[in-house]
Amino acid sequence: MPAEPRLLAGARLAVTTFTTLPVRAGRIDRPVAGTAMALAPLVGALLGALLAGVLLVAGALAPPLVAAGVTVGVGALLTRGLHLDGLADTVDALGSYRRGTAALEIMKKPDVGPFGVVALVVVLLVQAAALADLAGRSWPAALAAVVAATAAGRFGVTVACRRGVPAARPDGLGALVAGTVGPVALAAGAVAVVLLAVPAVPGRPWQGPLAVVAAIAVALPLLTHVVRRLGGITGDVLGATVEVVTTLVYLGLVLSG
């Protein structure tokens, strides 16, 4: 039986990694993993379109904050809550002030510490508040905003998996995807996400792209710090990156001035 083409296998792996959509995983190796991480923003955009639909429908039936809360909940459901779990574990490890193996052991514990709880509360509150604001915008703007923020969060994973970034462990998702994304895929992903954000803020076509660029600019030194503390990236770090970048983009989209 011939091997599955890398692009198709990478698309399948991207969907199964970032969503709960009923797609069966196929061939898995580092070249396929690199393709999957390069396609992460596309999967994010598709997920964002689903969430925007939830926000718009719920917003027509309930107050904006309720619609936003439902949308955040559906987003967690469609991703198995893995990104939120990764955020809590990563923040707990960083909050311990430990390094290397000791910090990684904290990340593997099933419980959530106080730092992780605070991080989850802040991220979910900011996302819900931002979505409540977006629910009051025209449907094209709301759609563009949710799609851009969700795609940007997954582009953060593409950035985290760029060449030169090591894995913190010899096994697990981090070991499979670390260092697999080349500069062409990075550039293509950046351009795509920036363009998606152009219609997100009516009358301010620059604000959406600026929000994306600013979010990535903040995430980069955070990733550098995490890699220095842990020795590389892990699956939890990738999940944390998704939530941090997504939240920062939402914040940038609702700022006024």
PDB file of all heavy atoms in Angstrom, residues 6 20 44 50 52-53 65 81 84 103 146 158 186 192 206 210:
ATOM      1  N   ARG A   6       2.464  13.465   1.969  1.00  0.00           N
ATOM      2  CA  ARG A   6       2.786  14.226   3.168  1.00  0.00           C
ATOM      3  C   ARG A   6       1.771  15.335   3.442  1.00  0.00           C
ATOM      4  O   ARG A   6       1.415  15.589   4.598  1.00  0.00           O
ATOM      5  CB  ARG A   6       4.192  14.824   3.061  1.00  0.00           C
ATOM      6  CG  ARG A   6       4.672  15.424   4.378  1.00  0.00           C
ATOM      7  CD  ARG A   6       6.127  15.793   4.331  1.00  0.00           C
ATOM      8  NE  ARG A   6       6.331  17.055   3.648  1.00  0.00           N
ATOM      9  CZ  ARG A   6       7.518  17.645   3.515  1.00  0.00           C
ATOM     10  NH1 ARG A   6       8.608  17.040   3.988  1.00  0.00           N
ATOM     11  NH2 ARG A   6       7.643  18.796   2.894  1.00  0.00           N
ATOM     12  N   THR A  20     -11.271  18.336  17.874  1.00  0.00           N
ATOM     13  CA  THR A  20     -11.880  17.024  18.135  1.00  0.00           C
ATOM     14  C   THR A  20     -12.703  16.558  16.938  1.00  0.00           C
ATOM     15  O   THR A  20     -13.498  15.629  17.065  1.00  0.00           O
ATOM     16  CB  THR A  20     -12.794  17.084  19.369  1.00  0.00           C
ATOM     17  OG1 THR A  20     -13.789  18.094  19.159  1.00  0.00           O
ATOM     18  CG2 THR A  20     -12.014  17.400  20.619  1.00  0.00           C
ATOM     19  N   GLY A  44      -6.843  26.551  12.501  1.00  0.00           N
ATOM     20  CA  GLY A  44      -7.352  27.560  13.408  1.00  0.00           C
ATOM     21  C   GLY A  44      -8.410  28.431  12.765  1.00  0.00           C
ATOM     22  O   GLY A  44      -9.416  28.780  13.396  1.00  0.00           O
ATOM     23  N   LEU A  50     -16.208  28.222  12.817  1.00  0.00           N
ATOM     24  CA  LEU A  50     -17.241  27.519  13.590  1.00  0.00           C
ATOM     25  C   LEU A  50     -17.609  28.301  14.852  1.00  0.00           C
ATOM     26  O   LEU A  50     -18.785  28.461  15.174  1.00  0.00           O
ATOM     27  CB  LEU A  50     -16.748  26.123  13.971  1.00  0.00           C
ATOM     28  CG  LEU A  50     -16.602  25.097  12.843  1.00  0.00           C
ATOM     29  CD1 LEU A  50     -15.979  23.813  13.387  1.00  0.00           C
ATOM     30  CD2 LEU A  50     -17.958  24.798  12.219  1.00  0.00           C
ATOM     31  N   ALA A  52     -17.197  31.513  15.399  1.00  0.00           N
ATOM     32  CA  ALA A  52     -17.880  32.753  15.031  1.00  0.00           C
ATOM     33  C   ALA A  52     -19.355  32.484  14.771  1.00  0.00           C
ATOM     34  O   ALA A  52     -20.230  33.284  15.153  1.00  0.00           O
ATOM     35  CB  ALA A  52     -17.221  33.376  13.801  1.00  0.00           C
ATOM     36  N   GLY A  53     -19.647  31.361  14.129  1.00  0.00           N
ATOM     37  CA  GLY A  53     -21.043  30.991  13.903  1.00  0.00           C
ATOM     38  C   GLY A  53     -21.784  30.789  15.209  1.00  0.00           C
ATOM     39  O   GLY A  53     -22.925  31.236  15.368  1.00  0.00           O
ATOM     40  N   LEU A  65     -22.802  38.733  26.683  1.00  0.00           N
ATOM     41  CA  LEU A  65     -21.903  38.027  27.585  1.00  0.00           C
ATOM     42  C   LEU A  65     -22.246  36.542  27.673  1.00  0.00           C
ATOM     43  O   LEU A  65     -21.344  35.694  27.768  1.00  0.00           O
ATOM     44  CB  LEU A  65     -21.940  38.661  28.977  1.00  0.00           C
ATOM     45  CG  LEU A  65     -20.871  38.166  29.956  1.00  0.00           C
ATOM     46  CD1 LEU A  65     -19.474  38.333  29.373  1.00  0.00           C
ATOM     47  CD2 LEU A  65     -20.985  38.901  31.290  1.00  0.00           C
ATOM     48  N   GLY A  81     -10.097  20.879  25.584  1.00  0.00           N
ATOM     49  CA  GLY A  81      -9.510  21.630  26.689  1.00  0.00           C
ATOM     50  C   GLY A  81      -8.006  21.465  26.803  1.00  0.00           C
ATOM     51  O   GLY A  81      -7.399  21.875  27.803  1.00  0.00           O
ATOM     52  N   LEU A  84      -5.946  24.777  27.136  1.00  0.00           N
ATOM     53  CA  LEU A  84      -6.107  25.350  28.475  1.00  0.00           C
ATOM     54  C   LEU A  84      -5.320  24.539  29.501  1.00  0.00           C
ATOM     55  O   LEU A  84      -4.688  25.103  30.405  1.00  0.00           O
ATOM     56  CB  LEU A  84      -7.588  25.382  28.854  1.00  0.00           C
ATOM     57  CG  LEU A  84      -8.447  26.357  28.038  1.00  0.00           C
ATOM     58  CD1 LEU A  84      -9.934  26.109  28.306  1.00  0.00           C
ATOM     59  CD2 LEU A  84      -8.088  27.806  28.351  1.00  0.00           C
ATOM     60  N   ALA A 103      11.232  21.260  36.584  1.00  0.00           N
ATOM     61  CA  ALA A 103      10.067  21.990  36.085  1.00  0.00           C
ATOM     62  C   ALA A 103       9.182  21.084  35.239  1.00  0.00           C
ATOM     63  O   ALA A 103       7.945  21.155  35.315  1.00  0.00           O
ATOM     64  CB  ALA A 103      10.521  23.201  35.273  1.00  0.00           C
ATOM     65  N   VAL A 146     -12.951  36.655  15.029  1.00  0.00           N
ATOM     66  CA  VAL A 146     -12.814  35.344  15.676  1.00  0.00           C
ATOM     67  C   VAL A 146     -11.913  34.430  14.846  1.00  0.00           C
ATOM     68  O   VAL A 146     -11.064  33.714  15.387  1.00  0.00           O
ATOM     69  CB  VAL A 146     -14.189  34.695  15.899  1.00  0.00           C
ATOM     70  CG1 VAL A 146     -14.038  33.320  16.532  1.00  0.00           C
ATOM     71  CG2 VAL A 146     -15.062  35.584  16.783  1.00  0.00           C
ATOM     72  N   THR A 158       3.051  27.383  15.105  1.00  0.00           N
ATOM     73  CA  THR A 158       3.964  27.339  13.960  1.00  0.00           C
ATOM     74  C   THR A 158       5.279  28.026  14.309  1.00  0.00           C
ATOM     75  O   THR A 158       6.368  27.522  14.000  1.00  0.00           O
ATOM     76  CB  THR A 158       3.322  28.034  12.740  1.00  0.00           C
ATOM     77  OG1 THR A 158       2.035  27.454  12.493  1.00  0.00           O
ATOM     78  CG2 THR A 158       4.185  27.878  11.501  1.00  0.00           C
ATOM     79  N   LEU A 186       6.741  29.681   7.707  1.00  0.00           N
ATOM     80  CA  LEU A 186       6.541  30.750   8.682  1.00  0.00           C
ATOM     81  C   LEU A 186       6.046  32.024   8.008  1.00  0.00           C
ATOM     82  O   LEU A 186       5.088  32.658   8.461  1.00  0.00           O
ATOM     83  CB  LEU A 186       7.852  31.047   9.414  1.00  0.00           C
ATOM     84  CG  LEU A 186       8.183  30.232  10.658  1.00  0.00           C
ATOM     85  CD1 LEU A 186       9.569  30.582  11.148  1.00  0.00           C
ATOM     86  CD2 LEU A 186       7.155  30.470  11.747  1.00  0.00           C
ATOM     87  N   ALA A 192      -0.831  35.107   5.833  1.00  0.00           N
ATOM     88  CA  ALA A 192      -2.228  34.662   5.817  1.00  0.00           C
ATOM     89  C   ALA A 192      -2.993  35.172   7.032  1.00  0.00           C
ATOM     90  O   ALA A 192      -4.113  35.681   6.912  1.00  0.00           O
ATOM     91  CB  ALA A 192      -2.280  33.136   5.761  1.00  0.00           C
ATOM     92  N   TRP A 206      -6.109  48.625   9.850  1.00  0.00           N
ATOM     93  CA  TRP A 206      -4.763  48.397  10.379  1.00  0.00           C
ATOM     94  C   TRP A 206      -4.767  47.737  11.757  1.00  0.00           C
ATOM     95  O   TRP A 206      -3.779  47.112  12.154  1.00  0.00           O
ATOM     96  CB  TRP A 206      -4.021  49.739  10.491  1.00  0.00           C
ATOM     97  CG  TRP A 206      -4.810  50.798  11.206  1.00  0.00           C
ATOM     98  CD1 TRP A 206      -5.634  51.734  10.640  1.00  0.00           C
ATOM     99  CD2 TRP A 206      -4.886  51.016  12.624  1.00  0.00           C
ATOM    100  NE1 TRP A 206      -6.211  52.519  11.610  1.00  0.00           N
ATOM    101  CE2 TRP A 206      -5.772  52.113  12.840  1.00  0.00           C
ATOM    102  CE3 TRP A 206      -4.292  50.407  13.729  1.00  0.00           C
ATOM    103  CZ2 TRP A 206      -6.074  52.590  14.112  1.00  0.00           C
ATOM    104  CZ3 TRP A 206      -4.590  50.882  15.005  1.00  0.00           C
ATOM    105  CH2 TRP A 206      -5.475  51.970  15.180  1.00  0.00           C
ATOM    106  N   LEU A 210      -2.264  44.774  13.225  1.00  0.00           N
ATOM    107  CA  LEU A 210      -1.391  45.216  14.310  1.00  0.00           C
ATOM    108  C   LEU A 210      -1.571  44.352  15.548  1.00  0.00           C
ATOM    109  O   LEU A 210      -0.599  44.024  16.242  1.00  0.00           O
ATOM    110  CB  LEU A 210      -1.682  46.683  14.641  1.00  0.00           C
ATOM    111  CG  LEU A 210      -0.824  47.304  15.763  1.00  0.00           C
ATOM    112  CD1 LEU A 210       0.652  47.260  15.398  1.00  0.00           C
ATOM    113  CD2 LEU A 210      -1.261  48.737  16.040  1.00  0.00           C
TER     114      LEU A 210
END
